[in-house]
Amino acid sequence: MKTRAQTINTHKAQTLIQDSPFLLLLLLLHLPLQTIHRNPVSNNNGLATQNNTWMMKRSTLILKQSPHHFIINFKSLTSLLHHSSLSPSPIEEQQYDVASHLLTILSSPNWQKNPHLKSLITTISPSHLTTLFNKNPNLNPQKALAFFNLLSQRSGFRPGVESFASLVTILVKNRFLNAAEKIRIEMVKACETETDVRFVLGFLRKMNLDCCEEFRFKISVRCYNTLLMCLSRFLMVDDMKCVFLEMLDDEIVPNIYTYNSMVNGYCKVGKVDVGWLYVSKIVEAGLSPDTHTYTSLILGYCRNKDVDSAYKVFDAMPKRGCQRNEVSYTNLIHGFCEETRIDEAVRLFHQMGDDSCVPTVRTFTVLISALSRLGRSVEAWEMFKEMNVRGCRPNAHTYTVLIDGLCKERKVDEARKLFDMMEEKRVVATVVTYNALIDGYCRDGKVEEAIKMFEIMEKKEIKANVRTYNELIGGYCKVNNVHKAMALLDEMMKMKVSPTVVTYNLLIHGYCKHNDVDNAYRLIGLMKENGVVPDKWTYSAVIQALCSRGSVEEAHELVNSLKVNGLKENVVLYTTLIDGYFKIGKVDNGLMLFNKMLISDFLPNSWTYNVLIHGLCKEDKIQEASVYIGKLIKVGFKPDITTFTILIEGLLKRYDFGDARMIKEAEDMMNDMTVEGVEPDTATYTVFIDTYFRAGKIDSAFDVLKRMMDAKCEPSHHTYATIVKHLLVLQQRENVKFQNFDLNIGNVWKLMDLETAMDLFSKMNKRGCEPNVKTYEALTVGLCRESRLEEACRLVSHMLTNGLVPNEHIYTSLVNCSCYLRMFDQALTLLNNMVENRILPHLESYKLLICGLYDDGKHEKGKEVFCSLLDGYKYNADEVAWKIFLDGLLKRGLVSECSELADVMEEKGYRFNPHTSVTLVENMGV
């Protein structure tokens, strides 16, 4: 039942649609969704309150700050050169304060019952403990040990190696050597990184050789063996050899555990020959190689991908009186799996019972992983069921393997359910588990869901690694949100996660996807500044962007210059150039490069052949294209989705539609694709939609659209442009107003009116494929590209009345179009609305608005908008400088204005990379 206010609002909307589409759009954007949706849904009040608070704080930033707040003189541009990061806050004083407090408590009798200890104990960190022991070397050793044990029992408290070392020092000084031996063994086992190992190694060596009797503590055979096992775990074989020799110098007699550790360490890195050398030392010492010795040799051969030699060792074990164990089996099973000899691995798995061996969680996980990787997911899940039946509890790795497999099959919702089940069973997910899900969401274009997983990680204090950030950055770039990806680059740096060449390549590809070659070059400069060397993928993106805009000769020159800089020519660069030459009609140049590849070190791959085939088909050289298809198959490449789509497109464009057999042949080809496991993509479906329309089969065209949407293959802008073009053709036959227009895909958005859009929506609804946000996005973006803002606003108003909320791309197109039409107040209102709806505006939009306001002489307003940009979401400082300053204000000659805004950034704590600072200074002429 509508309230009176809702009725009035609806009446307003109906009246305003005749007069002002933009006012109507604003009204609808500010009405609650229940008012305009035909099927109201309830709101979560808590979330609504939280969102409203955020909106109120954020929306006031753009328009309501005092102008006096922004009057800042240009003071110190050159100081930007000296600030590249924020200084960390000191923590030493706080640590000393806690240590002093703890000493006071420990000095009191019955300190365990001290009421202050209870309140303080949960805040004590390993560094506090280390400071306490280091600053108080005369602390009672019994108290020190008791306090250490008390803290170690606390959930979540893990003493660092420095804490162990400081306690050992106190115990040794007081000659509590038995306790010290136990603690130093625990210290060695507590090593989590190579840095930890090197610290422990140095500490033990120092005590072993200390000239002061008070602190000398010789290394025992047990400690040596534990240390060797630790070094083996971190593959530090050179250090192992040194420690082994030091052990002999100390006249400590190695035992079987010592030799087995040496064999294991060398076999882990694939040095089986050295492993055998230590096996011979076992025999020389009058000892016998045991199960662990031979199991390490099996591992070594498998690491060298010599699984047949591994099997010979495995086969010989019973003959030499050695019982095989679960690890022997698992190592060999893993070796077979790595060589994709999965059936032999499964046979070995079923043989385990003959040796009274029970498969472990690792055995099952290795097989599940291999089966999933080879696409045998049904068998993988059967193995998972068998695991549970046998009472073998899956661990985090097992679940991660299955989650990763589901994500790769584009079943991310099922993967999430498995993740939830894992948590219900109290199996703690690792960073690898989260990465698998984050990657799955990003592959599906659901980056916001990926970000939610990232936030869950942070809450659970699971530290994101470089792969986590790379997946999120790649996800943002995939959905055209490079500005958000650049902000993640900032966060990586703050979290001390070093970006890799992959990180920068993802960002460079993101820029190049939008033909933003300038920022791509700037980012290459930034990565070099940070000590990351560009590779072939770095430049391939730039070359592709140059080719996309027709600058193929410039791209070719760049390829030639790379040779001078030590980067070799490769298949990626040459294929990109071939594609570029074909696109500008220089077929001979493309073929010449292809022939050059045939006699080079880098042979063409399937992508190269597809580029060539597509280029020839575009030039109507079908016969030549067929020859290259034959060559593609002959050299061992299977036709992929690109090949099939090229063939289908070539076939359908060549023949007369009076002959229905040609369409049937193309349909059969698409069925063959599916049988071969090649799923149709957007391009394939769009070719069929176009074909059916041209054949006059409108119902069939919309049936393909429904199949496309049912298959979760989102129609592209080109798909909708194709459909609208054909709807306009149908109108042209009946309507004289289109008679003087040449209808083609290029002028669709100049001609489409709201009547055509409503016709499209009606036909889609009739066939069960309801228009969604992406449908409206395609039409709105198309209209805005032709500066048809009024029609775009009416379309978005219609969208809102149907209960759909505009997405980022719709808002961005409306804001940018308003700026191009110099309707800056309207652009500002829309930008505010984006912020209120927690949609992050693109820096391109800010650039157009800020520069437009400055061009109009509205300097204070421009400055206000810039400050609102800085006060909201933390954009990457370098990207703000590139986009707003270098590509915006400085290109317009607004040097002093740029200097003022640079000072504003510095006042607000933003710091540029030195490379960006130098570029700014040079462009300002300072």
Side-chain angles (χ1 to χ4, degrees):
M1 190 75 180
K2 284 186 178 181
T3 66
R4 177 175 171 77
Q6 288 172 329
T7 307
I8 291 168
N9 281 330
T10 306
H11 178 68
K12 280 183 183 177
Q14 291 167 346
T15 307
L16 281 167
I17 199 165
Q18 307 298 326
D19 305 320
S20 172
F22 182 65
L23 286 175
L24 170 64
L25 177 56
L26 288 181
L27 170 65
L28 291 170
L29 285 169
H30 286 88
L31 281 175
L33 193 57
Q34 298 96 313
T35 309
I36 55 177
H37 199 304
R38 288 173 296 190
N39 298 306
V41 291
S42 62
N43 272 339
N44 181 313
N45 291 332
L47 182 62
T49 305
Q50 185 183 0
N51 285 346
N52 287 338
T53 306
W54 187 91
M55 290 176 197
M56 286 169 66
K57 286 180 181 176
R58 184 67 179 83
S59 62
T60 55
L61 293 172
I62 291 182
L63 291 173
K64 295 186 179 178
Q65 296 195 40
S66 165
H68 299 292
H69 177 76
F70 302 108
I71 299 174
I72 300 171
N73 294 321
F74 173 61
K75 304 185 299 293
S76 52
L77 174 65
T78 51
S79 71
L80 293 171
L81 291 168
H82 307 293
H83 299 287
S84 58
S85 63
L86 293 172
S87 301
S89 54
I91 57 171
E92 285 189 359
E93 284 188 24
Q94 187 261 345
Q95 286 179 350
Y96 293 153
D97 288 345
V98 173
S100 300
H101 197 176
L102 286 172
L103 181 63
T104 304
I105 292 170
L106 290 173
S107 300
S108 62
N110 298 320
W111 59 268
Q112 294 96 332
K113 296 179 181 179
N114 191 307
H116 296 295
L117 180 63
K118 190 175 181 181
S119 60
L120 188 63
I121 198 164
T122 56
T123 66
I124 299 170
S125 69
S127 59
H128 292 140
L129 185 62
T130 305
T131 303
L132 170 69
F133 289 160
N134 283 342
K135 290 291 174 184
N136 302 283
N138 296 318
L139 189 66
N140 180 290
Q142 291 171 318
K143 281 188 179 181
L145 186 59
F147 185 58
F148 183 90
N149 290 334
L150 178 69
L151 285 176
S152 299
Q153 291 165 12
R154 197 185 89 205
S155 175
F157 185 89
R158 298 181 68 175
V161 289
E162 294 87 354
S163 304
F164 281 105
S166 58
L167 176 60
V168 168
T169 303
I170 291 172
L171 294 172
V172 169
K173 183 184 177 185
N174 290 276
R175 311 317 288 167
F176 278 61
L177 299 185
N178 287 338
E181 174 72 354
K182 289 177 184 177
I183 293 297
R184 78 172 171 184
I185 295 289
E186 289 302 313
M187 174 178 66
V188 177
K189 291 178 180 178
C191 291
E192 293 184 346
T193 65
E194 188 175 324
T195 305
D196 287 349
V197 181
R198 297 218 173 277
F199 171 84
V200 168
L201 194 54
F203 176 76
L204 293 178
R205 280 171 171 162
K206 184 176 183 303
M207 292 200 97
N208 192 51
L209 301 171
D210 205 307
C211 56
C212 177
E213 186 66 33
E214 187 182 22
F215 291 105
R216 188 181 304 152
F217 190 30
K218 299 296 286 183
I219 304 176
S220 64
V221 66
R222 185 185 173 201
C223 187
Y224 267 121
N225 287 343
T226 309
L227 185 56
L228 286 171
M229 283 188 275
C230 178
L231 290 165
S232 170
R233 181 156 56 97
F234 287 93
L235 311 180
M236 298 166 68
V237 290
D238 292 335
D239 293 283
M240 284 183 74
K241 183 179 178 180
C242 292
V243 169
F244 181 78
L245 293 173
E246 288 166 19
M247 184 178 182
L248 297 180
D249 287 342
D250 269 355
E251 298 182 355
I252 301 287
V253 179
N255 57 24
I256 189 64
Y257 300 107
T258 315
Y259 289 116
N260 276 347
S261 294
M262 297 303 293
V263 174
N264 184 253
Y266 279 104
C267 285
K268 273 183 176 177
V269 295
K271 294 185 176 181
V272 191
D273 52 341
V274 184
W276 276 110
L277 181 67
Y278 282 94
V279 173
S280 66
K281 289 182 185 291
I282 293 174
V283 177
E284 287 170 11
L287 303 167
S288 298
D290 60 12
T291 299
H292 298 292
T293 319
Y294 290 114
T295 298
S296 291
L297 291 168
I298 291 167
L299 174 67
Y301 280 121
C302 289
R303 289 277 164 95
N304 282 341
K305 299 190 183 301
D306 185 3
V307 72
D308 292 321
S309 294
Y311 187 79
K312 285 177 185 175
V313 174
F314 177 83
D315 191 49
M317 285 176 74
K319 299 169 191 172
R320 297 186 181 183
C322 281
Q323 176 72 29
R324 299 165 183 150
N325 64 12
E326 286 82 0
V327 182
S328 316
Y329 271 98
T330 303
N331 283 349
L332 190 54
I333 286 168
H334 187 252
F336 278 124
C337 289
E338 287 296 295
E339 292 295 297
T340 65
R341 292 162 66 174
I342 187 71
D343 294 326
E344 291 169 82
V346 171
R347 278 199 295 274
L348 203 60
F349 169 78
H350 290 302
Q351 182 189 316
M352 289 181 77
D354 298 345
D355 277 320
S356 303
C357 290
V358 178
T360 64
V361 64
R362 173 160 164 73
T363 319
F364 277 109
T365 303
V366 162
L367 283 165
I368 290 167
S369 177
L371 289 165
S372 295
R373 195 167 60 247
L374 294 172
R376 293 163 65 170
S377 55
V378 174
E379 292 169 81
W381 281 98
E382 287 299 321
M383 189 69 71
F384 182 67
K385 286 176 189 172
E386 184 179 343
M387 186 179 188
N388 284 290
V389 168
R390 289 203 190 193
C392 182
R393 190 167 179 258
N395 63 13
H397 187 201
T398 319
Y399 281 107
T400 300
V401 163
L402 289 166
I403 286 167
D404 188 51
L406 287 168
C407 287
K408 282 183 168 59
E409 291 174 16
R410 308 296 291 269
K411 296 176 180 175
V412 71
D413 292 333
E414 289 180 42
R416 181 57 195 268
K417 285 176 187 172
L418 187 61
F419 175 84
D420 292 339
M421 181 203 297
M422 174 185 177
E423 294 219 306
E424 283 169 18
K425 291 182 181 290
R426 298 190 177 182
V427 178
V428 179
T430 66
V431 65
V432 184
T433 320
Y434 282 98
N435 284 352
L437 259 177
I438 286 169
D439 186 47
Y441 279 124
C442 288
R443 281 170 186 263
D444 259 15
K446 298 175 179 176
V447 191
E448 295 313 316
E449 292 299 317
I451 289 291
K452 286 177 187 173
M453 292 304 301
F454 180 68
E455 288 167 353
I456 291 169
M457 277 179 74
E458 287 183 322
K459 282 178 187 172
K460 295 193 174 181
E461 296 183 353
I462 296 171
K463 191 179 178 185
N465 59 20
V466 69
R467 185 169 175 180
T468 320
Y469 284 106
N470 284 350
E471 282 164 357
L472 288 168
I473 285 169
Y476 272 135
C477 289
K478 184 179 177 182
V479 296
N480 305 322
N481 278 331
V482 189
H483 53 299
K484 289 184 180 179
M486 283 294 290
L488 277 173
L489 181 66
D490 265 358
E491 186 169 337
M492 281 181 83
M493 302 285 203
K494 285 173 188 169
M495 299 304 292
K496 297 189 180 348
V497 179
S498 298
T500 63
V501 67
V502 174
T503 316
Y504 287 108
N505 285 352
L506 288 166
L507 290 162
I508 289 163
H509 277 254
Y511 279 125
C512 290
K513 194 175 170 185
H514 289 284
N515 290 318
D516 193 347
V517 179
D518 290 341
N519 274 353
Y521 274 125
R522 288 163 186 156
L523 199 52
I524 290 171
L526 193 146
M527 72 187 284
K528 287 178 180 176
E529 183 76 32
N530 289 333
V532 181
V533 181
D535 63 7
K536 64 181 180 182
W537 296 105
T538 314
Y539 290 104
S540 71
V542 178
I543 289 160
Q544 193 165 15
L546 290 169
C547 289
S548 295
R549 68 186 193 189
S551 306
V552 188
E553 296 301 337
E554 185 184 341
H556 205 152
E557 284 176 22
L558 178 56
V559 171
N560 292 334
S561 72
L562 295 179
K563 288 188 284 185
V564 179
N565 293 318
L567 271 176
K568 292 181 180 179
E569 297 165 319
N570 56 67
V571 65
V572 176
L573 300 178
Y574 264 68
T575 304
T576 305
L577 282 176
I578 291 168
D579 189 36
Y581 277 122
F582 269 106
K583 279 176 179 172
I584 62 171
K586 293 189 175 182
V587 178
D588 292 339
N589 293 55
L591 288 170
M592 184 179 70
L593 283 174
F594 179 80
N595 291 327
K596 188 177 176 182
M597 289 177 78
L598 294 173
I599 57 171
S600 68
D601 295 335
F602 47 92
L603 293 172
N605 59 18
S606 59
W607 175 37
T608 319
Y609 278 101
N610 281 330
V611 162
L612 204 65
I613 293 161
H614 189 247
L616 291 168
C617 286
K618 287 281 184 186
E619 294 292 318
D620 208 25
K621 296 185 177 184
I622 306 297
Q623 200 64 40
E624 288 180 54
S626 302
V627 172
Y628 283 104
I629 291 167
K631 287 182 179 179
L632 179 142
I633 295 166
K634 191 176 179 181
V635 295
F637 294 119
K638 287 183 75 174
D640 60 13
I641 181 60
T642 309
T643 321
F644 278 113
T645 302
I646 292 164
L647 289 171
I648 289 168
E649 188 176 10
L651 183 71
L652 293 174
K653 285 190 174 179
R654 192 178 175 202
Y655 293 102
D656 177 19
F657 287 102
D659 188 352
R661 287 176 303 172
M662 295 307 103
I663 299 180
K664 179 70 168 62
E665 193 176 329
E667 286 173 339
D668 290 342
M669 193 177 287
M670 189 154 90
N671 291 332
D672 291 341
M673 278 170 58
T674 311
V675 170
E676 290 286 329
V678 181
E679 290 298 322
D681 65 3
T682 308
T684 321
Y685 282 116
T686 304
V687 167
F688 271 99
I689 289 168
D690 185 47
T691 298
Y692 282 123
F693 267 118
R694 287 191 291 133
K697 298 184 174 184
I698 298 167
D699 288 340
S700 298
F702 277 101
D703 286 341
V704 174
L705 180 65
K706 185 177 188 315
R707 276 162 53 197
M708 183 180 187
M709 294 176 85
D710 288 346
K712 294 185 178 177
C713 180
E714 194 66 55
S716 65
H717 284 227
H718 181 68
T719 311
Y720 286 112
T722 301
I723 296 170
V724 171
K725 179 190 79 171
H726 287 293
L727 292 177
L728 288 170
V729 168
L730 292 172
Q731 288 180 24
Q732 188 183 44
R733 291 171 187 163
E734 303 165 3
N735 195 333
V736 72
K737 73 176 180 179
F738 288 132
Q739 292 301 316
N740 296 324
F741 286 100
D742 175 29
L743 270 171
N744 58 61
I745 203 79
N747 60 17
V748 160
W749 308 115
K750 290 178 184 174
L751 301 176
M752 188 198 79
D753 55 19
L754 288 183
E755 184 184 337
T756 311
M758 296 307 132
D759 186 27
L760 169 63
F761 300 154
S762 172
K763 285 179 166 59
M764 287 179 72
N765 280 317
K766 194 183 293 184
R767 286 158 182 85
C769 45
E770 281 191 24
N772 58 22
V773 174
K774 289 287 183 182
T775 314
Y776 282 95
E777 179 193 312
L779 272 59
T780 305
V781 170
L783 289 168
C784 287
R785 280 177 187 165
E786 298 299 331
S787 299
R788 297 178 65 192
L789 184 61
E790 183 177 333
E791 290 89 342
C793 287
R794 290 185 190 277
L795 194 63
V796 176
S797 299
H798 182 271
M799 173 188 185
L800 287 157
T801 58
N802 281 282
L804 295 172
V805 180
N807 65 12
E808 177 184 313
H809 299 298
I810 292 173
Y811 270 114
T812 301
S813 61
L814 291 171
V815 171
N816 292 0
C817 185
S818 299
C819 289
Y820 286 126
L821 295 172
R822 309 199 69 76
M823 300 168 68
F824 299 118
D825 288 341
Q826 182 165 316
L828 194 52
T829 306
L830 285 164
L831 202 69
N832 267 322
N833 205 264
M834 284 181 81
V835 171
E836 287 172 5
N837 285 287
R838 306 198 75 169
I839 298 173
L840 183 67
H842 287 218
L843 282 173
E844 177 67 20
S845 301
Y846 273 116
K847 182 193 85 173
L848 292 171
L849 180 54
I850 292 165
C851 291
L853 290 167
Y854 272 99
D855 285 342
D856 267 14
K858 299 175 181 176
H859 289 205
E860 287 305 314
K861 185 68 72 178
K863 201 183 295 183
E864 286 181 37
V865 174
F866 182 74
C867 287
S868 73
L869 179 162
L870 300 178
D871 290 337
Y873 185 87
K874 277 284 181 186
Y875 291 90
N876 177 277
D878 293 300
E879 195 187 18
V880 171
W882 299 342
K883 189 65 76 174
I884 308 296
F885 297 165
L886 293 172
D887 293 342
L889 296 170
L890 291 175
K891 278 192 176 177
R892 288 164 169 78
L894 301 170
V895 177
S896 61
E897 290 81 356
C898 180
S899 299
E900 283 187 278
L901 297 188
D903 265 345
V904 172
M905 287 191 76
E906 190 180 9
E907 290 281 334
K908 291 181 180 291
Y910 281 83
R911 298 291 180 264
F912 300 138
N913 179 278
H915 183 268
T916 304
S917 299
V918 170
T919 308
L920 273 176
V921 169
E922 287 172 353
N923 279 269
M924 288 185 188
V926 176

